[in-house]
Amino acid sequence: MLDSGDIGPDQALTTTEEKGAFCLARCTCGWIGPARRARSLARADAGAHSTDRHSSATDATPPPAPPSDQETGRHTR
């Protein structure tokens, strides 16, 4: 497993997290994948996200910032 000291300034790190019977993928950029019952699907979501959003093969445009709590209607304390 990588720790945050192993990733460079322009690299993102995806992980999977278990929530009860579900598994979801998360990325250090703020992206969260859908809850899946199969870990393999959550890992596939993380891989697709990394390729689509953080691949050096894409143009140099950075990915859009995640929506703010105001935009999503979430309330944080």
Side-chain angles (χ1 to χ4, degrees):
M1 178 167 204
L2 295 173
D3 73 30
S4 59
D6 293 335
I7 52 179
D10 295 330
Q11 293 177 316
L13 175 67
T14 55
T15 58
T16 57
E17 176 181 331
E18 298 203 17
K19 296 272 191 176
F22 295 92
C23 186
L24 52 103
R26 290 184 175 268
C27 181
T28 54
C29 75
W31 172 84
I32 301 172
R36 305 287 195 170
R37 287 200 179 262
R39 287 183 195 101
S40 60
L41 291 177
R43 285 192 295 267
D45 291 338
H49 168 77
S50 292
T51 300
D52 293 346
R53 296 294 193 135
H54 303 293
S55 174
S56 60
T58 61
D59 64 359
T61 306
S68 69
D69 287 342
Q70 243 182 351
E71 292 170 332
T72 62
R74 279 192 256 171
H75 298 284
T76 57
R77 293 183 181 229

